[in-house]
Amino acid sequence: KYFVNTSLESGTSISLSKTSPVITIISGLLNFINKLSEVQKRRLIKYYFQNKNIYQIAEEENTTHQSISKSLKLALEKLKEFYKISKK
């Protein structure tokens, strides 16, 4: 078994076969997430991993939903650049 600690939340970890192609995907995604600003990282985790909507995040962070939306959009643009995915 290959142990990957996501470092996204304490106790969040995953155990997979060392040869699993999922390891490559998860490692790349974690590498990308760790390159984001702390604000973008926090918002991305809340939105995609904790299933919170932009209004909930905005209320928690005492900001506007537009600010959250823009931050997530910029993070996804960075992800596309990180993986060199062209827009369709």
Side-chain angles (χ1 to χ4, degrees):
K1 295 279 178 175
Y2 184 77
F3 185 75
V4 177
N5 186 348
T6 64
S7 301
L8 298 177
E9 297 178 273
S10 61
T12 303
S13 61
I14 191 167
S15 181
L16 298 167
S17 167
K18 192 172 185 175
T19 58
S20 173
V22 175
I23 291 292
T24 304
I25 294 167
I26 291 173
S27 294
L29 184 57
L30 293 175
N31 187 30
F32 162 73
I33 290 171
N34 285 323
K35 291 182 183 207
L36 293 174
S37 71
E38 289 302 315
V39 171
Q40 285 179 321
K41 186 187 307 186
R42 181 181 64 243
R43 291 173 177 178
L44 187 105
I45 291 167
K46 286 180 180 183
Y47 189 77
Y48 289 104
F49 296 99
Q50 296 176 351
N51 295 317
K52 295 183 179 183
N53 65 46
I54 59 173
Y55 297 97
Q56 291 169 318
I57 300 168
E59 185 175 326
E60 288 175 6
E61 298 188 8
N62 196 30
T63 189
T64 65
H65 72 278
Q66 293 94 335
S67 174
I68 303 300
S69 180
K70 183 177 179 179
S71 182
L72 291 170
K73 181 181 176 183
L74 291 172
L76 292 178
E77 287 174 5
K78 287 181 182 180
L79 177 62
K80 287 179 183 181
E81 184 179 310
F82 183 77
Y83 282 108
K84 294 183 175 39
I85 299 173
S86 61
K87 293 183 180 179
K88 293 183 178 183

